[in-house]
Amino acid sequence: MASTTTQEGGDGEYRQYLPDLSIPRFTTMQKQDAHEYAKAFIEGGNPPWLHALYLHWRKLFQEPFKGVTNDGRVRPNLFALQDDEIPIQEIVDTTKQLVSQLSPEERSKTIYHIDSPEWRTWSNPEFLLSDKGIRLDELTPAVRDTVLSVLEKTLSPEGYAKALGAMRINGFLGDLVHAPRVCNEYSYNFVLFGAEPFTTAPWGFSFYGHHLCLNIFFYKSQIVLSPWFTGAEPNIIDSPTSPYHGTRILHEEEKLGLQLMQSLSSEQQSAAQTYKLLKDPSMPKGRWNHDDQRHLCGAYRDNRVVPYEGILVSSFSPEQQNLVLGILNQYLLYLPSKARANRLEQIKSFFHETYFSWIGGYGDTDPFYYRIQSPVVIVEFDHHSGVFLTNKEPAKFHIHTLLRTPNGGDYGMALRPLIYEDEGDKKAGAVSQEFIWEG
């Protein structure tokens, strides 16, 4: 979760890698708003490695959704309808209030069909590559506050604090590079899926931008929050003049992952460590790339095949399994308490098919990557090299994390056939199939 307490040692390490703001990359960026910045990227193709990845994303988007799998085959019957006890009436009421505040033009850009493939067009770079919905930094304070209220009523209190922490750190990054019109606390888009929010019919929303992307699906009192991405560069606000001084995120995921790896026996560590180096010569082509680096399940990777690697969690001691649960609790922090408990119980029931894998060293100061993967969840943690900062090697102050629900679980897709079977044509908001002309 987000923290407002600083830790001794290393917090300001990133400052030795602050970029030269007089180079064209930054002098140009400082003159652009988000739309101009994205247009220049799409048309100009710089940086070329990221532009090539963007073009690859567009190809991936042409594929029908299948879901992340370990072997290319979607495993059925893993997910069920359930009561997560979320405050769906409050969420619906607040979202309807938001819709009432939008202009007709804003509504047309913001509301998509529940089954729209645009669910899948989120991405985490600072470039506004999919300009749909409403962008918070372009709204009146009143409308923006209502968007944030939707988010607050949807997430757990600690999950909402974590999301705000990511947003505020993004604003801090914008201040560091003097480009607040591209990176700021509110440079995020909000998109609705569903004709309108209902307490008894499926709907959802996407909230996405640099280093924070949340995809949320509702059905009655059930919530699916997957996929999501959260990152930070740097991962702390250390400026004493900032109102958010001391804000820090993703340190618990880091600490618990390292604690787990260091708790393993040398034989277990060897089994878990798939590569000794973060960019290892023995990696097959494509296992590392400039943008995602080691993580596999980021934007547009909705159908990726990710084979199991590492060591089975069922072979761990009870204390080590509790560390796994502690890590997963951090990755499920966005969920309200009952939904989080339900997901943890489901994930725990698959510990006999859950793998923990590691890349890199595991000394106290080593940067690293880890993944926990089962038929019902994938979480990834990765220390990155600099994008805005200039560190060429991965460092602990630039972190990417993400969560996927494999086997069709992302975006609530695995639940949708069950919902339509449950509700049929009588579900709230459905258009009647019968028609008689009354003229």
Side-chain angles (χ1 to χ4, degrees):
M1 62 183 291
S3 168
T4 55
T5 60
T6 58
Q7 298 179 5
E8 291 185 7
D11 284 346
E13 181 187 358
Y14 77 90
R15 288 193 172 271
Q16 65 185 296
Y17 300 105
L18 290 173
D20 177 1
L21 300 184
S22 69
I23 65 175
R25 174 191 177 187
F26 292 107
T27 57
T28 302
M29 183 183 186
Q30 290 158 8
K31 298 173 185 176
Q32 295 170 320
D33 64 22
H35 302 278
E36 294 165 337
Y37 184 67
K39 185 173 185 288
F41 167 74
I42 292 170
E43 295 179 356
N46 281 312
W49 52 267
L50 184 56
H51 191 263
L53 179 63
Y54 163 68
L55 296 178
H56 181 62
W57 283 348
R58 300 310 298 171
K59 292 178 183 177
L60 293 175
F61 180 58
Q62 301 307 312
E63 297 181 345
F65 177 85
K66 180 178 181 179
V68 175
T69 62
N70 69 290
D71 61 3
R73 295 174 292 180
V74 175
R75 185 164 161 180
N77 306 318
L78 293 175
F79 307 100
L81 301 180
Q82 64 189 29
D83 181 9
D84 286 332
E85 299 180 9
I86 64 169
I88 187 62
Q89 187 66 63
E90 291 182 42
I91 298 168
V92 166
D93 289 346
T94 307
T95 309
K96 286 184 175 181
Q97 179 188 346
L98 170 62
V99 172
S100 73
Q101 293 175 290
L102 303 181
S103 68
E105 181 182 358
E106 288 172 327
R107 290 186 196 184
S108 68
K109 281 193 64 177
T110 302
I111 302 174
Y112 287 75
H113 191 277
I114 182 65
D115 293 323
S116 171
E118 291 297 324
W119 272 104
R120 300 169 54 200
T121 59
W122 61 273
S123 63
N124 56 280
E126 78 280 9
F127 298 98
L128 181 54
L129 301 179
S130 178
D131 185 16
K132 59 186 185 292
I134 46 177
R135 186 171 169 89
L136 270 66
D137 62 5
E138 297 173 348
L139 301 175
T140 65
V143 178
R144 183 170 63 230
D145 287 348
T146 308
V147 175
L148 292 176
S149 184
V150 172
L151 203 62
E152 183 177 19
K153 292 183 182 301
T154 297
L155 305 179
S156 68
E158 55 271 36
Y160 182 61
K162 179 178 179 178
L164 288 182
M167 295 165 66
R168 290 166 178 172
I169 288 174
N170 187 57
F172 179 59
L173 172 63
D175 292 339
L176 286 174
V177 299
H178 299 174
R181 291 197 295 165
V182 175
C183 288
N184 64 73
E185 184 181 351
Y186 301 119
S187 54
Y188 296 88
N189 284 42
F190 178 89
V191 188
L192 275 172
F193 294 94
E196 69 174 280
F198 286 102
T199 57
T200 57
W203 66 283
F205 67 82
S206 181
F207 184 94
Y208 67 96
H210 188 222
H211 277 160
L212 180 66
C213 308
L214 307 173
N215 293 283
I216 300 173
F217 176 86
F218 303 103
Y219 177 59
K220 296 182 178 178
S221 61
Q222 186 168 1
I223 182 172
V224 175
L225 209 165
S226 177
W228 65 248
F229 178 101
T230 307
E233 182 191 19
N235 73 317
I236 188 170
I237 299 175
D238 63 350
S239 171
T241 62
S242 170
Y244 308 126
H245 173 70
T247 297
R248 184 187 187 104
I249 64 170
L250 308 178
H251 50 293
E252 288 296 325
E253 295 90 331
E254 177 185 82
K255 180 185 75 174
L256 291 170
L258 183 59
Q259 188 177 345
L260 174 61
M261 185 62 174
Q262 291 180 340
S263 76
L264 303 181
S265 68
S266 58
E267 292 81 7
Q268 289 175 314
Q269 288 171 340
S270 295
Q273 188 185 42
T274 53
Y275 300 99
K276 293 183 178 181
L277 302 178
L278 287 173
K279 190 178 180 183
D280 201 293
S282 65
M283 288 178 172
K285 185 178 180 180
R287 184 60 189 85
W288 180 96
N289 69 60
H290 280 86
D291 184 64
D292 293 326
Q293 300 200 6
R294 283 146 298 277
H295 70 70
L296 299 170
C297 296
Y300 292 88
R301 295 311 204 284
D302 298 299
N303 297 332
R304 189 153 198 171
V305 177
V306 183
Y308 291 129
E309 296 178 307
I311 184 171
L312 275 168
V313 168
S314 57
S315 70
F316 290 175
S317 69
E319 293 77 16
Q320 290 166 337
Q321 290 187 5
N322 282 336
L323 280 173
V324 173
L325 289 173
I327 293 168
L328 292 167
N329 186 66
Q330 290 299 315
Y331 277 82
L332 298 172
L333 205 66
Y334 288 126
L335 288 172
S337 57
K338 178 61 175 178
R340 192 188 317 163
N342 286 345
R343 277 290 278 150
L344 279 171
E345 280 303 310
Q346 180 197 36
I347 294 168
K348 189 176 180 180
S349 72
F350 282 89
F351 268 8
H352 62 292
E353 297 182 71
T354 301
Y355 288 80
F356 173 70
S357 61
W358 188 274
I359 298 176
Y362 39 90
D364 289 348
T365 60
D366 291 329
F368 53 79
Y369 162 94
Y370 70 78
R371 181 170 81 250
I372 296 171
Q373 178 180 357
S374 82
V376 294
V377 73
I378 296 178
V379 303
E380 296 186 274
F381 179 100
D382 198 20
H383 287 124
H384 272 227
S385 56
V387 173
F388 286 88
L389 302 173
T390 63
N391 54 298
K392 294 182 179 180
E393 298 299 324
K396 290 196 170 186
F397 47 74
H398 185 185
I399 301 171
H400 284 190
T401 64
L402 59 88
L403 177 145
R404 287 277 188 173
T405 306
N407 292 299
D410 283 338
Y411 313 104
M413 291 293 190
L415 296 182
R416 297 186 193 205
L418 305 179
I419 292 169
Y420 300 141
E421 182 180 305
D422 181 44
E423 296 290 342
D425 287 341
K426 295 181 181 179
K427 65 180 183 293
V431 178
S432 173
Q433 297 294 316
E434 294 75 25
F435 174 75
I436 299 176
W437 182 57
E438 302 289 356

